Amino acid sequence: MLPWAGVLGFLLLLIFLCVRVWVRKAKVPSSSGAQLVCKPSALAAYLESQCQALKSLCEASWPWRALPSLQTLASMMGPLDSRVHFVRTYLQLSDEGLVALDWAVGPAQQKRRQTSTICSTPVLLLVPNSFGKVTRNISKLCHVALLHGYHPVVFNRRGQNGCPLSTTALQPYGDPADLREAVRYIRSQCPGALLFAVGESTGAGLLFSYLGECGSSSHLTAAGCISPIFDPRGWFEAGCPWLWQQLLLMSQKVWLSRFATVLGEVLPLDRFFGGQSLRELEEVLFCQAQTWDLYWERNNPLRDVDEVAVPVLCICSQDDPMCGAPRDTLPFELFETNPYFFLVLTQGGGHCGFFKDSLGGAFWSHEVLLEFFHSTVDFLLTEDKPKGQAKKRGARPVLKVTQGRSGCRQESCCPHNTPDIYSWQRSYTH
């Protein structure tokens, strides 16, 4: 009964804090719509004219907009969408580790065991938060993506969301090596499909790292991020608000307790389970043979941001209870100077809680992302037509944007283009 009593106490405290915020904001008028921050370009102008969802944010007057913590809780810990089922593929990596790919299917398709080897429908790769839980936000996005003709697939890190831990190696915050191998596998299964990606919360950091390291060889058409954390080191060091930190600490300790026997041989888990901050837990897991400074030098998600070569839309709110004030946490200069990055900044929404009408309804952020992907493809095809570069059905459009920076990495520099180092038959399906 003790753990449930603690959770109940957290929820009661959350309700109390939400009521205080609601009372404080009750007399403050809220604006509709969202602010688009980006460098002026032809693509930016096209998106502003074509993405109608940007103009329809919060047109309905509903009281939950004044409760960012409650929106965040409903998004991150609410019930999953029961209409979405998953077919899991375990992918064995080059170092014998395992990651899991969960292919979303509707109720009528749940008995199918695997995707077709030749897939022409666009694939939406979802990178959840780094704390190992598939949220309501992710499951709802899978449902909406299915309705829009996408084939969603969720990337699960080593040991997370029921994926076995076959080695003692865990995935550092910003190391995209496992994600690269997952993308290679997806492309081998769906060679003619356009590939899009969405990162959620801390999962956006892994997506940023992948896009930066691979540059023009990422094989993505466009990407999106919901409530990304742009400065994870500062976030770990400053700590998120007490309530959220306690919930995340409890979640991490429960998750790692499953592997305590094997990881206890290589890590000081007594320090991990006794840790009182997220930074302490991160240091125990990844800083035994390196300093904190060196860890973030290698894992800062924006370390290669100038190499990103596909359009990226980031959706953030001004009342994010986990990240803090936008003026302190958002890199506005990045969006104002880099033509590949677009920021949608809303007044409300909390952290990943961009609900459209009610806490049990659809997410406005999902509509924006799917419209962004659709409009980006339309723009690329429109731009190529006058040049006589007609695209074959299912071919990936190529974005040509002048950055005013050093050129993107060459194709040969990305591990995507190295010879296959293992056989795809080594993956197996449950």
Side-chain angles (χ1 to χ4, degrees), residues 249 253 268-277 280-281 284:
L249 283 172
K253 291 177 181 180
L269 292 189
D270 54 333
R271 286 176 48 202
F272 180 90
F273 291 111
Q276 297 300 310
S277 69
E280 290 181 67
L281 270 57
V284 169

Side-chain angles (χ1 to χ4, degrees), residues 185-236:
Y185 174 76
I186 292 171
R187 292 186 64 238
S188 74
Q189 297 297 293
C190 306
L194 296 179
L195 179 59
F196 303 87
V198 173
E200 172 200 50
S201 184
T202 52
L206 184 59
L207 183 56
F208 285 144
S209 294
Y210 171 78
L211 292 172
E213 282 203 6
C214 290
S216 58
S217 302
S218 69
H219 301 292
L220 297 182
T221 300
C225 298
I226 304 175
S227 297
I229 296 177
F230 293 97
D231 180 20
R233 176 176 181 171
W235 186 73
F236 275 100

Side-chain angles (χ1 to χ4, degrees), residues 27-41:
K27 297 183 180 180
V28 180
S30 59
S31 61
S32 61
Q35 178 185 1
L36 180 63
V37 181
C38 61
K39 181 177 181 179
S41 66

